[in-house]
Amino acid sequence: MSTEIDIDARNVRKVFGGNVVALDNINLQVERGSFFSLLGPSGCGKSTLLRLLSGLDEPTAGDISIRGQAVKDTPGHKRATNLVFQRLALFPQMTIAENVAFGPKAHKRGREDIRRIVDEKLELVGLAALANRHPHEISGGQQQRVAIARALANEPAVLLLDEPLSSLDQKLRVQMQRALKRIQKDSETTFIYVTHDQHEAFTMSDSIAVMNNGSIEQVGSPREVYNKPASRFVASFVGDTNVIENNELPRGTGMSNEQGAVAVKAEVIQIGGSLPAGLENRFAGTVTDVSFGGSRVSYRVGIDGGATIAVERPAISDFHAGVGENVEIGWPSDAVVELSR
């Protein structure tokens, strides 16, 4: 059975002002009914790509198809997409139900059809009991869900979300991440979500595209991206990962590769006064920094050869070391990822 594709971008390029390359040779396919995240630092091009998909801007080169239909000459309001911005722009004078009904009314849907859509979408986001309230009478997280219900009321093939949780406090963000994942699965709508927050992307996504400097560095499941980074950038951006160059290791080590760099996650590294002799990749070092992070303690350990290695241990661990103490660190060979670029 072939996989159905909702978004197909081929060789997409976007140049601003004649020489500022925002996107370069983007090739991307998004499966129907999936939660897909564009992850990367500010300025990497993820929001620009979202604008091209929505029709708010047009590519300089390349082609974009939505559900098999080329949309090069299709304006945004006629595309099978809807966009949720960071700023929600709910209509303050309208009730929650009236906000959700706005799109179907604009598309001249029948009265009974509109009532069905509003009831269905408010039930989907868990706000049916608040239908007659106004935006200022509900919380920030509830306003986020109203914005999503309003976008889904137009029944788009693809819902585009541009960092909609960025203004919320951490606890509310976590709650909304769970809610968004549930809403996406229950609605069976394809979500494309822009974020610079890797935890957010890992929590919600079926697939992730990691972007850097206008290009896509890697596409894969959260587990694949986290455990098997495809490049130095992905390894350094995702998780607390050590990217270790050949010339930063003591001479004679057997863990280096022809490309000259490897990646090792901080949480897989053992640390102690001395480690078992059978552990591969054992190094003597000196603690250069200690940081307490609640459930975890982060160490920085300088080793012979010049590398400074990040190590993470549970705060409840029996081992503790201070700056200046001599320690041993090590990790098994299967924890090493060779980096090809």
Side-chain angles (χ1 to χ4, degrees):
M1 182 177 178
S2 61
T3 301
E4 294 182 294
I5 300 298
D6 266 353
I7 294 290
D8 190 2
R10 303 292 178 107
N11 305 312
V12 171
R13 180 177 172 86
K14 181 62 180 178
V15 181
F16 292 107
N19 58 5
V20 178
V21 179
L23 294 172
D24 189 23
N25 196 37
I26 296 294
N27 288 280
L28 183 67
Q29 290 188 323
V30 178
E31 292 184 11
R32 183 170 300 179
S34 65
F35 197 123
F36 192 99
S37 286
L38 302 175
L39 173 66
S42 297
C44 71
K46 54 189 187 295
S47 291
T48 299
L49 179 54
L50 209 67
R51 290 178 62 86
L52 298 188
L53 297 178
S54 71
L56 291 176
D57 211 338
E58 292 296 328
T60 305
D63 298 294
I64 296 172
S65 295
I66 301 174
R67 291 210 168 164
Q69 299 295 316
V71 294
K72 184 175 182 180
D73 299 318
T74 305
H77 69 278
K78 291 187 177 181
R79 294 188 183 188
T81 61
N82 218 328
L83 181 59
V84 178
F85 294 97
Q86 294 179 24
R87 298 193 176 191
L88 304 179
L90 297 178
F91 301 115
Q93 76 279 14
M94 294 183 181
T95 66
I96 302 310
E98 289 168 344
N99 267 275
V100 176
F102 181 82
K105 283 184 178 180
H107 288 89
K108 302 188 185 305
R109 303 287 288 265
R111 181 176 298 177
E112 291 302 317
D113 204 14
I114 292 172
R115 183 178 292 113
R116 175 191 60 79
I117 291 171
V118 170
D119 290 345
E120 180 182 284
K121 303 313 176 189
L122 287 180
E123 186 68 32
L124 179 67
V125 301
L127 295 177
L130 305 182
N132 294 320
R133 294 192 186 180
H134 289 78
H136 71 275
E137 297 175 311
I138 62 176
S139 70
Q142 289 167 337
Q143 290 177 21
Q144 293 283 354
R145 284 187 276 163
V146 173
I148 293 164
R150 186 176 65 179
L152 289 173
N154 289 325
E155 300 180 337
V158 181
L159 186 63
L160 309 170
L161 302 105
D162 192 0
E163 302 201 63
L165 308 184
S166 60
S167 63
L168 303 180
D169 63 63
Q170 182 59 31
K171 185 175 181 179
L172 188 52
R173 285 185 75 160
V174 172
Q175 293 173 355
M176 280 301 300
Q177 287 164 16
R178 297 192 190 103
L180 272 179
K181 182 65 174 177
R182 177 189 59 78
I183 292 166
Q184 188 273 320
K185 290 302 180 187
D186 289 349
S187 69
E188 300 182 343
T189 303
T190 302
F191 278 26
I192 299 182
Y193 190 94
V194 161
T195 183
H196 63 272
D197 186 323
Q198 58 182 278
H199 178 77
E200 198 164 81
F202 291 144
T203 297
M204 297 188 292
S205 306
D206 298 310
S207 298
I208 296 171
V210 182
M211 297 186 65
N212 180 40
N213 290 330
S215 297
I216 293 176
E217 296 262 343
Q218 184 175 359
V219 178
S221 70
R223 190 178 298 274
E224 290 167 344
V225 170
Y226 188 83
N227 290 325
K228 298 293 182 182
S231 69
R232 282 172 168 85
F233 173 79
V234 176
S236 61
F237 185 74
V238 172
D240 194 356
T241 306
N242 297 282
V243 177
I244 310 170
E245 304 290 339
N246 261 349
N247 59 9
E248 294 180 319
L249 293 167
R251 291 184 179 181
T253 181
M255 66 171 284
S256 57
N257 70 79
E258 294 179 0
Q259 287 74 31
V262 295
V264 185
K265 294 291 184 188
E267 66 265 26
V268 305
I269 299 176
Q270 297 183 37
I271 184 171
S274 62
L275 297 178
L279 182 66
E280 307 102 318
N281 306 309
R282 295 168 63 236
F283 303 97
T286 303
V287 177
T288 62
D289 185 71
V290 182
S291 176
F292 177 72
S295 63
R296 312 287 292 179
V297 178
S298 297
Y299 297 95
R300 293 291 187 271
V301 179
I303 64 174
D304 291 342
T308 298
I309 306 298
V311 183
E312 275 196 5
R313 304 308 302 157
I316 61 172
S317 170
D318 292 335
F319 174 80
H320 298 283
V323 173
E325 290 191 37
N326 295 324
V327 296
E328 274 196 327
I329 61 172
W331 52 88
S333 57
D334 61 6
V336 177
V337 177
E338 296 185 357
L339 300 175
S340 59
R341 52 190 171 92

